[in-house]
Amino acid sequence: MKDFLTSNWISPRVQAKNYRRNYFVPRANGYEAIEAIYALRDKITPLIQISEVRSIAADNIIMSPMYQQDTIAIHLRGRKIGMA
C-alpha cells in the first residue's frame, strides 16, 4: 500500500506548465491514501490547483483499475515548480 503514489499518469497535453496525477487505490485503503496526501499538504498546497476524490464501484472490465474491487480515485492537477 505504501507505494500507491508511484503509479501515476501524466497527460502529454499538460506537461508544459501543468501536471496531472490520478491515483486509483482499493476502497479498503482509501483512508490511508488520503492520509498520505494530507501529510504532504505543506509541500503541495502551493502547487495544487484542482483536487478531486471519487468513490467508484467495482466493475468486470479486465483492464480497469476498478476490476472486481470498489476503488477510490484521487485526482490532483497543478502547476510545476517555477511556473507562474
Side-chain angles (χ1 to χ4, degrees):
M1 179 57 212
K2 300 234 188 264
D3 63 335
F4 78 92
L5 290 174
T6 61
S7 60
N8 59 61
W9 175 78
I10 302 172
S11 170
R13 296 174 294 154
V14 295
Q15 285 185 6
K17 293 183 181 177
N18 298 309
Y19 70 87
R20 180 179 298 159
R21 298 285 190 268
N22 299 308
Y23 305 108
F24 297 89
V25 296
R27 190 178 295 163
N29 301 110
Y31 182 78
E32 291 89 355
I34 293 169
E35 273 191 328
I37 292 174
Y38 185 74
L40 298 171
R41 70 188 177 279
D42 293 335
K43 293 181 181 179
I44 65 173
T45 296
L47 306 174
I48 299 298
Q49 295 170 329
I50 300 169
S51 64
E52 176 184 5
V53 177
R54 295 184 296 135
S55 178
I56 306 168
D59 62 32
N60 288 317
I61 303 169
I62 293 173
M63 297 297 288
S64 169
M66 287 66 69
Y67 179 65
Q68 296 184 345
Q69 67 178 359
D70 293 333
T71 303
I72 296 292
I74 302 169
H75 307 284
L76 304 172
R77 182 170 178 182
R79 58 185 175 84
K80 289 186 177 181
I81 296 172
M83 298 286 181

